[in-house]
Amino acid sequence: MSKILKLEKSKLDGLIQFLNKRYELFGPKEINGQIEFARINPGDELRLDFLNTVKSPKDIFFAQTQPILHYKDNSVKEPALKHKPVAIFALHPCDAQAMKVLDKVFTQGKYLDPYWDGRYRDSLIFSIGCNTPATTCFCNCTGLGPFSKAGADIFLTDIGDSLILEACSEKGIYFFKIAEDVAWKEPDDDDLKKAEQIKEAAQLLLSEKFQAQDIKSILEKSWDNPVWDEISNRCLSCGLCSYLCPTCHCFDIQDEKLPGTEQGVRIRIWDSCMFSLFTREASGHNPRPSIAARFRQRVMHKFNYLIDDFGVLGCVGCGRCVQRCPVNVDIREILKGFLNGKG
Ligand code: SF4
Ligand code: SF4
């Protein structure tokens, strides 16, 4: 079977049914007036006409609240890790790359994270090109682009009535082999030309031109830069940017005990380096006592430390933090400030 196939959107339900039998399938769907990645069942309406979801899809692999053990009196039980493999349909290229960043953090450091590894390792990722990127998108500044195939097993291009699907990994090629009953067609030259034109038009819509990796060496000399104080005059330290960010991965471990019993659960929950409690020690000392120190950590981690530790940028240019920050802190402006020598 060819590496590039076409599927008419009217036949999409056949693919969804096939995926649903074999995978825990997630995709973009409207929930309470908002598009989010959620479980997709046959008959559900998939929304391919969205820009970025408000929440990133990272919680499919990195649950916001993850039980890691249950205890009762003197016995301890760890939750089973077995599950159906996960498939995600129509992940945007920034989010697909973000999953790769998280995979490095959770599997290539000193410790292997079994919860992440158990879900991401066997997953099947269908990325979709962004035909009309948002004004807040800057994936082109982070080594990607609206049609980047990084992190995709199968890459989709929406050409109107049909999707063009390209297998980009061994898993993607294998999927085409096993899914032979889906109503695939061979794309003709016009289909492929249309896909190429859509890609070229999308790239032109991105207005930012800076290169985020160039900031690393500047940041290394910017520990005491007064810009951190200037930013902190605006930032509320609310942590929203970290919660929405597809690559942020700080977490806390807490025990929750059922009152009046010796029974409870130990959970891992998302945390944020923007919170003062994140680094406060039992003595009360806090090595990052100010918003300026915490904001510096956020930027340094994404654009400096993760490159040292894992060879990747910790930002994929999704623009969620730009879109949603309640006081309009714009990471692009901060990065450009450093590049223009103001930082
Ligand atoms: S969302 Fe904005 S205000 Fe909230 S912590 Fe992030 S930068 Fe600060
Ligand atoms: S820092 Fe902002 S733009 Fe970059 S990946 Fe996180 S949410 Fe997206």
Side-chain angles (χ1 to χ4, degrees):
M1 192 176 276
S2 161
K3 205 177 150 227
I4 300 183
L5 295 171
K6 171 175 155 176
L7 184 66
E8 288 166 8
K9 284 185 183 166
S10 58
K11 305 279 170 44
L12 189 55
D13 213 42
L15 172 60
I16 298 306
Q17 280 185 29
F18 183 88
L19 283 165
N20 226 297
K21 279 190 206 136
R22 288 159 183 81
Y23 296 87
E24 196 182 331
L25 178 64
F26 294 83
K29 132 174 168 181
E30 189 172 331
I31 300 171
N32 298 329
Q34 201 164 275
I35 314 288
E36 297 294 349
F37 280 89
R39 282 298 306 271
I40 298 290
N41 296 304
D44 282 352
E45 191 194 350
L46 266 172
R47 292 291 300 270
L48 302 180
D49 56 335
F50 71 107
L51 288 169
N52 264 335
T53 49
V54 176
K55 268 172 62 192
S56 86
K58 70 180 171 188
D59 62 346
I60 296 171
F61 300 116
F62 172 41
Q64 188 162 354
T65 304
Q66 171 74 54
I68 53 179
L69 62 84
H70 298 269
Y71 60 91
K72 189 173 180 187
D73 301 320
N74 291 326
S75 69
V76 167
K77 201 170 157 200
E78 291 185 23
L81 292 175
K82 281 197 181 141
H83 60 87
K84 247 176 153 179
V86 169
I88 310 184
F89 199 78
L91 208 56
H92 282 175
C94 53
D95 286 339
Q97 169 63 13
M99 299 307 116
K100 279 183 70 185
V101 173
L102 291 180
D103 189 51
K104 283 186 186 285
V105 172
F106 286 127
T107 68
Q108 293 181 20
K110 203 168 168 189
Y111 303 102
L112 178 93
D113 184 292
Y115 307 103
W116 172 276
D117 193 53
R119 285 180 77 71
Y120 185 71
R121 190 68 36 229
D122 299 331
S123 66
L124 188 68
I125 304 290
F126 291 77
S127 292
I128 187 163
C130 303
N131 292 9
T132 49
T135 52
T136 44
C137 294
F138 60 105
C139 54
N140 56 321
C141 306
T142 62
L144 304 167
F147 280 73
S148 162
K149 292 172 187 154
D153 295 306
I154 294 177
F155 191 84
L156 314 173
T157 304
D158 184 343
I159 59 165
D161 292 341
S162 301
L163 296 169
I164 302 295
L165 299 92
E166 179 180 357
C168 309
S169 71
E170 292 296 321
K171 273 193 271 180
I173 291 167
Y174 179 70
F175 180 78
F176 276 178
K177 280 188 191 143
I178 60 167
E180 56 189 8
D181 290 344
V182 175
W184 309 116
K185 285 191 169 174
E186 290 290 335
D188 60 28
D189 287 348
D190 282 348
D191 295 327
L192 297 177
K193 198 171 157 197
K194 198 168 176 186
E196 195 54 36
Q197 284 167 346
I198 288 170
K199 175 180 165 182
E200 283 167 16
Q203 279 160 344
L204 293 175
L205 291 173
L206 291 162
S207 54
E208 297 291 353
K209 301 290 174 223
F210 67 92
Q211 288 306 310
Q213 65 267 25
D214 295 345
I215 288 144
K216 179 179 175 12
S217 58
I218 303 170
L219 284 179
E220 282 166 358
K221 293 176 255 164
S222 302
W223 185 260
D224 295 323
N225 197 304
V227 76
W228 306 119
D229 289 317
E230 282 165 34
I231 297 164
S232 72
N233 290 337
R234 285 244 303 282
C235 172
L236 307 171
S237 206
C238 69
L240 183 139
C241 47
S242 324
Y243 274 71
L244 300 187
C245 178
T247 63
C248 277
H249 50 269
C250 295
F251 60 80
D252 191 14
I253 305 276
Q254 294 183 1
D255 282 359
E256 290 189 347
K257 189 179 161 196
L258 214 59
T261 69
E262 289 305 316
Q263 181 179 345
V265 59
R266 178 164 295 174
I267 52 171
R268 177 172 79 174
I269 52 169
W270 290 1
D271 205 342
S272 167
C273 61
M274 295 307 300
F275 297 153
S276 67
L277 277 183
F278 184 70
T279 43
R280 198 173 76 187
E281 297 164 8
S283 66
H285 169 69
N286 193 339
R288 289 187 211 131
S290 63
I291 294 178
R294 297 196 282 279
F295 201 93
R296 177 179 59 202
Q297 164 63 21
R298 185 161 198 273
V299 173
M300 288 281 184
H301 194 188
K302 290 189 171 302
F303 299 95
N304 187 3
Y305 308 148
L306 275 171
I307 298 175
D308 284 338
D309 292 343
F310 297 108
V312 284
L313 269 175
C315 171
V316 293
C318 73
R320 285 186 178 89
C321 59
V322 180
Q323 267 177 323
R324 304 282 165 182
C325 173
V327 290
N328 298 325
V329 172
D330 187 333
I331 189 99
R332 298 170 303 177
E333 298 309 318
I334 294 163
L335 299 176
K336 285 189 284 186
F338 279 109
L339 284 169
N340 296 332
K342 286 190 216 136

